[in-house]
């Protein structure tokens, strides 16, 4: 009996200590400055798809997300579970719906910056201006991921996920190296907008970070920009030369563009060094580099060495 009472007492102390730890306030820095949270948020809304990704990666199911259908079409990974409320467009969410969800945290990016005052009247806000030309976007998204994890009291999990990501990137790099017998191709990754315009990913992009992690050189390098992309004419893709061109799905006008004589004469078409990349978000969070690298690797394995 005495031993059982002691065990019960110790267990009670441990629970009390855990509760005290959880209740301790934390202070973090977002893109505005210091933000204080007395308790870990339980009802979180993400108006930014990168933040949505990171919540899922941390095992937190948001109560609300902006444009769920768009997320599933364009982001895809990690998959969104069911039961999450759609709060409307990313740039114009429904404030009424947000109020009804009674969130204790709203996460936004630069697209929602103008809504900050209205959103703060509903719940505390974390604002991450991760994509800018005057800083390293990869470092910024990793810092914001750890900041979010600290607010949610999930820092050990976040660091473990980053470590797992780096290990997975090394595995993918070895897979690509083996497929091409060590003779690595130069690779350009793009989003085809229509039959005449294309977004080319270059410096400061998550795409180039993924290519670098795979040991690949960009076949169409671009200067540093806010989002790591430059809009070009489709005809500029000829500069890929003997490299590989990968285009990210979805691309609804594929049949129209691919049937044009101009496209048929592109060197990567004639050399059969063209492949589609499964839908993946190119402006995401810290783990999006892994999703990009996996999708790029899958596409490259379709290319004959």
């Amino acid at each position: 009996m005495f031993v059982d009472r002691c065990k019960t007492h110790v267990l009670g102390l441990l629970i009390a200590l855990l509760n005290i730890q959880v209740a301790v306030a934390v202070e973090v820095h977002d893109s505005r400055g210091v933000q204080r949270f007395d308790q870990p948020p339980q009802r979180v809304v993400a108006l930014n798809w990168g933040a949505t990704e990171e919540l899922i990666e941390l095992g937190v199911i948001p109560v609300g997300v902006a444009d769920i259908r768009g997320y599933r079409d364009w982001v895809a990974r990690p998959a969104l579970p069911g039961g999450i409320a759609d709060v409307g467009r990313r740039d114009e969410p429904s404030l009424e719906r947000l109020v009804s969800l009674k969130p204790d945290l709203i996460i936004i990016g630069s697209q929602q910056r103008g809504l900050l005052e209205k959103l703060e009247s509903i719940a505390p806000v974390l604002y991450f201006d991760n994509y800018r030309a005057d800083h390293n976007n990869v470092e910024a998204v990793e810092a914001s991921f750890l900041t979010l994890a600290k607010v949610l009291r999930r820092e050990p999990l976040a660091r473990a996920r980053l470590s797992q990501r780096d290990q997975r990137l090394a595995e993918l790099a070895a897979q690509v190296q083996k497929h091409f017998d060590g003779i690595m191709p130069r690779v350009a990754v793009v989003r085809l907008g229509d039959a005449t315009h294309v977004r080319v990913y270059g410096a400061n992009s998550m795409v180039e970070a993924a290519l670098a992690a795979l040991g690949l050189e960009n076949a169409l390098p671009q200067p540093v920009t806010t989002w790591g992309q430059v809009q070009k004419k489709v005809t500029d893709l000829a500069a890929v030369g003997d490299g590989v061109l990968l285009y990210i799905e979805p691309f609804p006008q594929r049949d129209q563009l691919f049937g044009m004589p101009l496209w048929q004469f592109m060197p990567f078409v004639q050399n059969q060094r063209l492949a589609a990349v499964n839908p993946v978000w190119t402006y995401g969070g810290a783990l999006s580099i892994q999703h990009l690298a996996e999708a790029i690797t899958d596409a490259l394995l379709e290319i004959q060495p």
Side-chain angles (χ1 to χ4, degrees), residues 14-15 26 92 124 144 166 190 226 238 248 251 305:
L14 287 173
I15 293 173
V26 299
E92 195 175 344
S144 69
D166 293 343
V190 303
T226 298
I248 301 174
F251 176 46

Side-chain angles (χ1 to χ4, degrees), residues 158-177:
R159 294 189 184 280
R161 293 292 291 115
L162 289 175
S163 178
Q164 290 165 0
R165 178 202 66 181
D166 293 343
Q167 181 178 347
R168 177 60 174 152
L169 290 174
E171 293 170 354
L172 293 167
Q175 193 174 359
V176 173
Q177 182 89 6

Side-chain angles (χ1 to χ4, degrees), residues 51-72:
T52 302
E53 284 182 28
E54 294 187 333
L55 288 172
I56 302 301
E57 299 284 6
L58 290 171
V60 175
I61 308 302
V63 296
V65 167
D67 189 4
I68 288 177
R69 180 176 179 180
Y71 179 98
R72 289 181 170 141

Side-chain angles (χ1 to χ4, degrees), residues 154-285:
R154 298 186 180 223
E155 280 185 281
L157 175 58
R159 294 189 184 280
R161 293 292 291 115
L162 289 175
S163 178
Q164 290 165 0
R165 178 202 66 181
D166 293 343
Q167 181 178 347
R168 177 60 174 152
L169 290 174
E171 293 170 354
L172 293 167
Q175 193 174 359
V176 173
Q177 182 89 6
K178 181 179 179 181
H179 179 73
F180 289 101
D181 296 322
I183 305 173
M184 305 292 269
R186 295 178 308 113
V187 179
V189 181
V190 303
R191 280 193 191 272
L192 295 163
D194 54 34
T196 57
H197 296 94
V198 59
R199 293 177 185 175
V200 180
Y201 292 99
N204 217 26
S205 69
M206 296 298 108
V207 169
E208 188 147 295
L211 289 176
L214 294 172
L216 297 165
E217 179 185 349
N218 195 332
L220 205 58
Q222 302 299 317
V224 169
T225 63
T226 298
W227 297 96
Q229 66 182 33
V230 176
Q231 182 161 299
K232 296 279 196 178
K233 295 179 180 178
V234 165
T235 52
D236 292 332
L237 295 179
V240 172
D242 62 357
V244 171
L245 182 77
L246 303 179
Y247 66 95
I248 301 174
E249 296 276 24
F251 176 46
Q253 299 186 39
R254 176 167 55 182
D255 291 344
Q256 178 186 349
L257 175 60
F258 288 10
M260 296 173 62
L262 170 69
W263 184 260
Q264 294 297 320
F265 281 102
M266 289 286 184
F268 47 81
V269 174
Q270 298 204 336
N271 296 334
Q272 296 183 329
R273 293 171 79 78
L274 170 71
V277 176
N278 289 328
V280 61
W281 196 228
T282 48
Y283 320 102

